[in-house]
Amino acid sequence: MSVLVVIECANGEVKKSSLEAASYGSKVAAALGTTATAVAIGDVQADALSGLGAQGVTKVLLDNDSRLHNFVPGAYVKVIAKAAEQENSTVIVLSNSNIGAAIGSRLAVRLGASLATNVVALPQINGSTFTVRRGVFSGKAFSDVELTSDKKIIAVKKNALEVETTAGATATVENFSADLSDADFATAPKETVKQSGDILLTEAEVVVSGGRGLKGPENWHLIENLASALGAATACSKPVADVGWRPHHEHVGQTGITVSPNLYIAVGISGAIQHLAGVNSSKVIVVINKDPEAPFFKAADYGIVGDATEVVPKLIEAAKALDK
């Protein structure tokens, strides 16, 4: 029996959120007196996967069927279920990502497993009792839940736990096939449009986000230049996407993308509760707004009261100076 970790990849590399899941899964495996095995799906090189040994994974099963290079929920679930059966895994760990959300419940139904999402701490294991802590109410509270089924699925909240690394450790990589048929791809998307840019918003350590306080799309270069200076991804508030300044796939918040970076910089965003729900898991929040009564300041770790068009250029200069 081994703990099975689901690995997500992008551009041939393992996502940071999956490194977190691998680190978490290996610790659960140690607590259970077993090992951690990973299953990777799609377009990724074996060299990238062998590095998961640094997170405590001993073996990686790779299904690189070309039809899996784009996400197909039903097919992904079948691959993971087959891997869990082969490894006799009763605990499956994955990231609480968009993909994790899409496959977690499907996998739980297929395996008859208990499912805990948004998990923020290692489980408390006492004999047959298996309890995990998860974030609830958009991160405003925590709930301790006991997983009572024989099989358990844990979706780890992104950026909630540190990735622990053992230098020099490697994992063996084995080819794996779930013997998928064309019927497994009946619900495959007709077209996939991938986010452009060097840094994926959902995986970014630093996010610079702009709101209507920028006054107009002609000032968006301030967000891009600050992000470039900090090595950050860019995002926007819902009103900015609604008026067409930026595409909707950059909108963060309760009805958009949820992010959990180490640093979130909100420029000209008032901080409506729907926006806060999507960013309040950020470790440090910096708010720049000319309105000292903006609600966002109550949630901020640091705040600057001032016009974004005057403040941001100074931040860009300071960030560039640090690089010299």
Side-chain angles (χ1 to χ4, degrees):
M1 183 195 79
S2 65
V3 172
L4 185 69
V5 181
V6 179
I7 300 298
E8 297 177 29
C9 304
N11 301 320
E13 298 294 331
V14 176
K15 291 184 179 180
K16 176 180 177 291
S17 56
S18 286
L19 295 179
E20 295 168 0
S23 183
Y24 183 101
S26 65
K27 291 177 183 176
V28 174
L32 294 172
T34 185
T35 58
T37 296
V39 56
I41 305 171
D43 188 14
V44 62
Q45 299 300 315
D47 289 346
L49 296 174
S50 64
L52 288 168
Q55 281 71 53
V57 173
T58 58
K59 181 174 67 175
V60 183
L61 305 175
L62 171 60
D63 191 334
N64 57 7
D65 186 324
S66 61
R67 296 173 295 177
L68 294 167
H69 289 185
N70 289 323
F71 177 54
V72 183
Y76 272 48
V77 167
K78 186 173 181 179
V79 172
I80 298 165
K82 183 73 177 288
E85 179 185 0
Q86 174 180 301
E87 298 300 311
N88 193 27
S89 299
T90 57
V91 177
I92 300 173
V93 177
L94 45 79
S95 172
N96 198 80
S97 61
N98 290 336
I99 288 177
I103 64 178
S105 55
R106 289 177 169 91
L107 191 61
V109 171
R110 185 183 185 103
L111 299 179
S114 297
L115 169 65
T117 60
N118 225 31
V119 173
V120 298
L122 289 168
Q124 298 297 315
I125 304 171
N126 184 9
S128 61
T129 304
F130 196 103
T131 304
V132 294
R133 174 164 292 183
R134 52 188 302 270
V136 295
F137 301 119
S138 299
K140 294 183 177 63
F142 299 104
S143 172
D144 290 336
V145 296
E146 182 180 345
L147 304 184
T148 57
S149 299
D150 291 337
K151 295 180 180 179
K152 303 164 179 62
I153 301 172
I154 301 172
V156 182
K157 183 178 180 180
K158 292 189 288 185
N159 213 23
L161 299 165
E162 296 293 334
V163 177
E164 294 191 8
T165 301
T166 302
T170 59
T172 60
V173 180
E174 300 179 4
N175 289 327
F176 175 77
S177 175
D179 299 322
L180 300 172
S181 67
D182 290 340
D184 295 314
F185 295 89
T187 58
K190 294 182 179 179
E191 180 184 9
T192 300
V193 179
K194 295 186 177 180
Q195 178 184 328
S196 60
D198 295 331
I199 303 173
L200 291 173
L201 176 57
T202 53
E203 298 293 313
E205 299 276 356
V206 181
V207 175
V208 180
S209 189
R212 296 193 69 175
L214 285 167
K215 302 176 183 178
E218 66 276 6
N219 290 322
W220 193 257
H221 66 279
L222 295 173
I223 300 297
E224 293 174 333
N225 291 343
L226 181 57
S228 177
L230 295 174
T234 61
C236 68
S237 63
K238 185 175 185 298
V240 163
D242 287 344
V243 297
W245 293 2
R246 301 302 300 169
H248 275 283
H249 68 257
E250 293 184 10
H251 153 219
V252 295
Q254 190 172 36
T255 56
I257 295 173
T258 299
V259 295
S260 304
N262 289 327
L263 174 62
Y264 183 80
I265 302 176
V267 181
I269 300 175
S270 63
I273 191 170
Q274 292 87 350
H275 187 83
L276 285 172
V279 306
N280 63 6
S281 293
S282 306
K283 291 188 176 177
V284 175
I285 295 176
V286 176
V287 171
I288 302 168
N289 202 298
K290 68 179 182 179
D291 178 9
E293 301 299 321
F296 220 152
F297 282 120
K298 295 179 180 178
D301 296 285
Y302 301 96
I304 301 174
V305 178
D307 191 307
T309 58
E310 298 174 3
V311 173
V312 175
K314 295 178 181 178
L315 288 178
I316 294 171
E317 289 179 12
K320 289 181 176 179
L322 287 174
D323 255 351
K324 293 181 179 178

